[in-house]
Amino acid sequence: MDNGEILLEAIGEISDQLILEAEKEPGHKNRSFIRNLIAACLALCFVILPVNAEMRTGYISNLLAPFYGGARTEIVDSIGVPVGASVTVGDYTLTADAVIGDRYNIAIVYSLTHVDGKMLPEGLRFDKWSDSGLRGGSGGGSMSHSLSSDGKTLFITEQWTSTERLFRIRRNVTRRFENLVIWKKGQEEEPLVQEGVWELKFTVRYRDTTKTVPVKNISVTGGDGAEYTIQKMELSPVGLHLKMVGTPVRNDEHSLEMYKGFTVQLHLRDGRYMEVKDGNLGGGGKLEKGKFKWRYGAMFDTPVTLEEIQSVVVCGTEIPVK
C-alpha cells in the first residue's frame, strides 16, 4: 500500500475465523456438478408464519434454540423473527427457520431434514456455501452444526459480526449451499450423499434494538500497552459495537498481545460480570499519523436486556450505561 498505509483485521482473538475455516475441514475438495440435473429437482417455496401469535407461545425461541438454547426466551421471543424460506433438492429439505440480530450482528438458524423423515447420517455437511447481501464490511463469524436428539434434523447456525452497519439499504439475501457430503476427520474424500444446490432467497427483517451509549472519548489501555480512545459505543440485547482510535499495529510478535489484551465484560445490576467472548477487533490507517481507526464488535453468548446492564467494562475501565 502507498504512503505506509496498513489495514489489519484481527478476528475475535483469531477464534471466529478459525471456526469459519474449520468448517471447510482438512481434505476438503470442491466437486463439479451437473446443473441441468439440479434444475430438474430444485423447488423453492416460501412459508408465511403467523408471527405475533406464535411469538406469544415461545415459537421464536424454539426456532433459535440451536443458537441460544433455552436462554432468555423472553428476549429472544421479542426480537427474533421467523423466516420460513424452504427449498428441496432430491431427498433433502433445507429451511431458514429464524433470524435475530442488531445493527452489526446477525444469526440465522437453518434446519436440514430428509423428505421422508428418516434419520440423518453422522457427519452430514454441505460441501460449500456462499452468500449474497448478508454481510456489511469486514468482520468475523462462524458456521456451526448440531444434530437433533432424534437424529432427524441437522441444525446449521450462521453468525456474523460486522465492522460496518448491516443492511443500510437492501435486506434481500441469497444463501447457496452445495452438495451434501459425509465429513470425517482425516479422510481424503468426503462421500457424496446428495448432489445439488440449495438456494434460499429471503428478506431479513428484525427489530433493531441498538442504542447509543454516551461516551466522551474514554481512554483505555489493552494488552501490550496498546491505547484506545472510545469515540462511540452502541449496545443492544444481543451485541456490542465500539468505534475507536488508538495505537498503530506493531509489525512484530508483540502485536498479537494487543488483541488478546482487549477484554470486554458486562457488569450487570445484580452484581454479576458477564464476559464477552469472541469479539472482532480490527484497525487500519497510516503509520505517519500515529493513530489507527479501530472497530470492535461482538455478539453475546446469551441475550441480556439493556435495563440489566449497569456498565460495560473495556480493558478494565468501567463505562456506565445510562
Side-chain angles (χ1 to χ4, degrees), residues 48-74:
I48 300 176
L49 298 176
V51 179
N52 293 333
E54 296 289 5
M55 284 174 67
R56 288 195 296 270
T57 63
Y59 181 78
I60 303 303
S61 54
N62 288 338
L63 291 176
L64 287 163
F67 186 64
Y68 283 128
R72 309 310 300 273
T73 58
E74 72 282 3

Side-chain angles (χ1 to χ4, degrees), residues 144-206:
S144 62
H145 301 77
S146 62
L147 196 61
S148 63
S149 58
D150 63 6
K152 294 182 178 181
T153 304
L154 178 65
F155 294 108
I156 304 167
T157 304
E158 178 180 21
Q159 182 269 330
W160 182 257
T161 295
S162 176
T163 57
E164 301 294 335
R165 184 169 179 171
L166 295 166
F167 310 119
R168 286 183 177 273
I169 302 175
R170 300 185 61 181
R171 288 180 173 265
N172 298 325
V173 300
T174 300
R175 297 296 285 116
R176 289 170 57 91
F177 297 81
E178 301 182 24
N179 297 339
L180 278 170
V181 300
I182 300 296
W183 177 82
K184 290 184 180 179
K185 187 176 181 179
Q187 67 184 5
E188 291 294 328
E189 293 283 340
E190 294 95 353
L192 182 64
V193 175
Q194 177 73 60
E195 187 174 58
V197 173
W198 288 254
E199 183 173 276
L200 295 169
K201 295 182 179 181
F202 53 93
T203 301
V204 174
R205 297 188 186 281
Y206 52 78

